[in-house]
């Protein structure tokens, strides 16, 4: 395993953070923050699990009316409440649907930070099982990260293993990372 310090260029940039803060503040003001956070987690999981949904959100050819209509139908079908439904409608109206996953990650990261938790971004070649998730939590606790919330992403380019980013620290146990380190070592030996 390699641990490196890398600059924080998180997937939740300034734009995503502003939208995330707006949703978090709106839910707090209306007194249904816990419900909205649950819906945000469910929507984030739906995006992570569905290739078709990710392709739909990334489609830059979609016009505003089409994006709004499809997102309204999707939000109603998934049974999400009015706050999240209206918020995703605003995202669609502003042509920011490709940023929706980052915005949702930003909401969860903001909530974790306000509760004193550290966010760990986990990228793995295959979705984590419950056993792997609990083992990872235990390993992170051993490394001094006792209050950790994880955001999970699947990245087939890793070939196997995983990467875990906590702030500017990157733990890399992926096969792709190992191959890169081996390639660099071989260049140095030549």
């Amino acid at each position: 395993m390699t641990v490196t310090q890398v600059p924080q260029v998180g997937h939740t940039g300034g734009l995503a953070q502003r939208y995330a803060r707006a949703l978090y503040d709106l839910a707090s003001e209306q007194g249904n923050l816990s419900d909205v956070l649950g819906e945000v987690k469910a929507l984030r999981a739906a995006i992570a699990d569905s290739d078709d949904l990710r392709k739909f959100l990334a489609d830059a050819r979609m016009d505003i009316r089409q994006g709004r209509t499809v997102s309204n139908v999707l939000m109603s079908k998934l049974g999400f409440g009015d706050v999240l439904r209206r918020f995703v409608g605003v995202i669609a109206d502003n042509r920011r649907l490709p940023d929706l996953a980052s915005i949702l990650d930003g909401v969860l990261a903001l909530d974790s930070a306000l509760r004193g938790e550290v966010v760990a971004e986990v990228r793995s070649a295959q979705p984590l099982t419950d056993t792997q998730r609990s083992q990872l939590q235990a390993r992170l606790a051993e490394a001094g990260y006792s209050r950790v919330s994880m955001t999970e992403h699947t990245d087939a380019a890793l070939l196997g293993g995983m990467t875990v980013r906590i702030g500017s620290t990157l733990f890399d146990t992926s096969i792709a990372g190992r191959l890169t380190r081996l390639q660099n070592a071989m260049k140095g030996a030549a």
Side-chain angles (χ1 to χ4, degrees):
M1 173 174 60
T2 299
V3 178
T4 56
Q5 295 290 322
V6 294
Q8 180 69 9
V9 188
H11 58 282
T12 55
L15 174 86
Q17 288 295 59
R18 287 191 300 272
Y19 277 104
R21 179 56 129 179
L23 177 59
Y24 192 90
D25 290 346
L26 176 66
S28 293
E29 288 171 9
Q30 293 188 353
N32 57 355
L33 181 61
S34 62
D35 293 340
V36 171
L37 288 174
E39 292 174 356
V40 165
K41 288 177 185 174
L43 181 56
R44 185 63 186 100
I47 293 170
D49 293 342
S50 173
D51 288 334
D52 291 335
L53 183 53
R54 283 192 304 275
K55 288 176 187 173
F56 163 74
L57 293 173
D59 189 1
R61 300 170 298 168
M62 186 179 0
D63 68 4
I64 292 174
R65 275 182 278 141
Q66 184 183 21
R68 176 76 159 184
T69 302
V70 173
S71 64
N72 279 340
V73 169
L74 176 68
M75 299 302 287
S76 295
K77 186 175 183 177
L78 293 174
F80 294 131
D82 189 50
V83 172
L84 191 59
R85 187 177 315 151
R86 286 186 293 131
F87 180 76
V88 172
V90 169
I91 298 294
D93 289 347
N94 292 342
R95 301 186 60 85
R96 301 289 185 208
L97 284 175
D99 301 317
L100 183 59
S102 294
I103 293 167
L104 298 174
D105 286 343
V107 171
L108 298 175
L110 178 62
D111 181 58
S112 294
L114 292 174
R115 286 186 288 123
E117 290 181 345
V118 176
V119 177
E121 179 185 342
V122 179
R123 293 194 179 279
S124 59
Q126 300 290 325
L128 297 178
T129 64
D130 290 336
T131 304
Q132 291 170 325
R133 203 171 286 114
S134 63
Q135 289 173 345
L136 179 58
Q137 287 267 350
R139 297 286 181 185
L140 290 172
E142 289 173 9
Y145 301 104
S146 58
R147 293 183 50 107
V148 176
S149 68
M150 295 189 300
T151 60
E152 299 176 23
H153 306 280
T154 304
D155 185 359
L158 295 176
L159 302 175
M162 70 178 66
T163 63
V164 179
R165 179 187 305 266
I166 300 176
S168 63
T169 304
L170 177 68
F171 299 93
D172 187 353
T173 63
S174 68
I175 293 174
R178 290 177 188 175
L179 290 173
T180 300
R181 290 188 296 279
L182 180 62
Q183 181 182 18
N184 291 339
M186 290 176 69
K187 285 181 184 176

